């Protein structure tokens, strides 16, 4: 009887550590706890985890408690910090795209990184031509240094998705700056939406890659561990997607007023 009470006394600690028990193995028997009684403790822990999992699955429509696994405890399975960095890289790429390509007024800097396909390979426009603003309504691209790439540069500007209609005059490319009309603003807003959707697709690829990495360990760790990690990765992806939605909302407000 005394032995059973000692085992019961340690049960809260086992339950507290249950989220990580499957990663490093369940705790050893407390001093004085028999193997038989410890097996009972293990069954209780497993039942708590299973009940929690089933309850969460049934409670899809309600707010769910967040999983927060220490990256150090699962580093042999997946690098969660690296996964987070990959997701944040997608967000930064979206911010950069908004800044460069989706602005009410086109600036010379917006043309810098347009990729030009030449016979020698792909090059940013600013490496082939000198870009300058002649007036608020006109940008000039001087292709004197690489005259053979003038036609390719013209095509790249036209196909950039920036609603530009360049004109070629020898080795000079004239780029009229579109008027800030309501139609133009709405066109930019649609472009921002498309860009965000592409970024979310890139985010889904990061999530899928991470989950597939976790699933490789199905035969080595418990199902609870796999489930907890998948849930954490999904939460990270959901949080990143929400950040993208905020960026899109802010950009749409900026464009449409």
């Amino acid at each position: 009887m005394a032995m059973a009470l000692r085992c019961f006394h340690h049960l809260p600690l086992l339950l507290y550590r249950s989220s990580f028990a499957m990663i490093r193995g369940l705790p050893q028997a407390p001093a004085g706890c028999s193997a038989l009684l410890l097996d009972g403790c293990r069954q209780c822990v497993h039942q708590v985890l299973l009940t929690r999992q089933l309850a969460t699955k049934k409670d899809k429509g309600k707010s769910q408690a967040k999983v927060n696994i220490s990256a150090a405890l699962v580093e042999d399975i997946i690098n969660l910090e690296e996964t987070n960095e990959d997701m944040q890289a997608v967000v930064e790429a979206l911010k950069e795209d908004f800044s460069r390509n989706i602005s009410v007024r086109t600036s010379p800097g917006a043309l810098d990184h347009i990729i030009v396909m030449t016979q020698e390979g792909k090059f940013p426009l600013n490496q082939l031509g000198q870009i300058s603003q002649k007036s608020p309504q006109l940008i000039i691209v001087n292709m004197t240094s690489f005259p053979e790439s003038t036609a390719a540069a013209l095509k790249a500007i036209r196909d950039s998705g920036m609603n530009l209609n360049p004109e070629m005059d020898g080795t000079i490319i004239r780029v009229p700056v579109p008027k800030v009309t309501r139609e133009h603003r709405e066109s930019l807003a649609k472009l921002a939406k498309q860009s965000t959707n592409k970024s979310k697709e890139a985010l889904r690829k990061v999530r899928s890659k991470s989950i597939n990495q976790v699933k490789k360990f199905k035969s080595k760790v418990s199902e609870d561990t796999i489930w907890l990690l998948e849930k954490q990765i999904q939460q990270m992806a959901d949080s990143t997607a929400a950040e993208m939605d905020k960026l899109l909302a802010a950009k749409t407000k900026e464009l449409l007023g």
Side-chain angles (χ1 to χ4, degrees):
M1 181 65 180
M3 192 177 298
L5 288 175
R6 279 198 297 273
C7 183
F8 183 78
H9 173 72
H10 289 280
L11 183 56
L13 177 59
L14 291 176
L15 293 177
Y16 175 76
R17 297 174 59 185
S18 61
S19 295
F20 307 106
M22 68 290 291
I23 299 171
R24 296 188 172 182
L26 283 168
Q28 298 298 318
C33 181
S34 69
L36 179 61
L37 289 174
L38 179 59
D39 285 340
C41 291
R42 289 172 183 268
Q43 291 174 9
C44 289
V45 171
H46 178 73
Q47 186 61 42
V48 168
L49 287 173
L50 182 60
T51 301
R52 183 185 303 165
Q53 178 175 346
L54 292 175
T56 303
K57 288 182 178 179
K58 291 178 181 179
D59 199 22
K60 292 182 180 179
K62 301 179 181 180
S63 60
Q64 300 177 10
K66 288 188 176 181
V67 174
N68 187 17
I69 301 174
S70 171
L73 292 176
V74 294
E75 59 185 5
D76 292 338
I77 301 175
I78 188 172
N79 189 330
L80 288 175
E81 292 180 357
E82 186 176 297
T83 298
N84 183 61
E85 289 174 359
D86 289 345
M87 290 183 178
Q88 285 304 308
V90 177
V91 176
E92 292 304 316
L94 180 61
K95 289 180 181 178
E96 187 173 354
D97 184 47
F98 279 179
S99 176
R100 285 181 181 175
N101 304 323
I102 306 177
S103 178
V104 174
R105 293 189 179 279
T106 304
S107 65
L111 307 185
D112 284 350
H113 300 282
I114 290 178
I115 300 300
V116 181
M117 298 283 293
T118 71
Q119 292 182 348
E120 289 73 26
K122 300 178 181 180
F123 298 92
L125 181 59
N126 63 350
Q127 290 185 12
L128 301 175
Q130 183 179 0
I131 306 172
S132 60
Q133 184 123 25
K134 189 166 185 177
S135 72
Q137 289 77 38
L138 183 64
I139 294 175
I140 297 294
V141 182
N142 189 332
M143 298 293 296
T144 303
S145 298
F146 296 91
E148 69 280 4
S149 299
T150 304
L154 182 79
K155 183 178 186 303
I157 296 171
R158 183 173 291 146
D159 296 342
S160 65
M162 297 173 64
N163 193 34
L164 300 174
N165 188 26
E167 302 170 352
M168 188 167 65
D169 181 9
T171 58
I172 299 296
I173 299 177
R174 303 179 187 278
V175 186
V177 177
K179 294 181 179 180
V180 187
T181 62
R182 184 68 183 179
E183 181 180 358
H184 180 52
R185 289 176 180 272
E186 291 175 352
S187 176
L188 290 174
K190 289 180 181 178
L191 191 61
K193 177 66 174 177
Q194 292 172 4
S195 183
T196 303
N197 288 339
K198 288 180 180 178
S199 295
K200 285 186 176 181
E201 179 60 33
L203 175 64
R204 284 191 286 271
K205 289 180 180 179
V206 173
R207 181 202 61 192
S208 297
K209 178 182 176 182
S210 298
I211 289 179
N212 288 338
Q213 172 66 21
V214 169
K215 287 181 177 178
K216 291 179 181 179
F217 288 81
K218 274 189 172 182
S219 61
K220 299 180 181 180
V221 298
S222 71
E223 292 182 4
D224 291 322
T225 303
I226 299 298
W227 178 79
L228 287 169
L229 280 171
E230 288 181 351
K231 184 172 178 61
Q232 171 120 353
I233 292 168
Q234 183 61 54
Q235 286 176 177
M236 292 165 64
D238 290 343
S239 177
T240 306
E243 188 176 352
M244 290 181 182
D245 288 336
K246 289 181 180 179
L247 289 173
L248 175 61
K251 175 56 70 171
T252 301
K253 184 177 180 180
E254 173 192 322
L255 294 171
L256 301 179

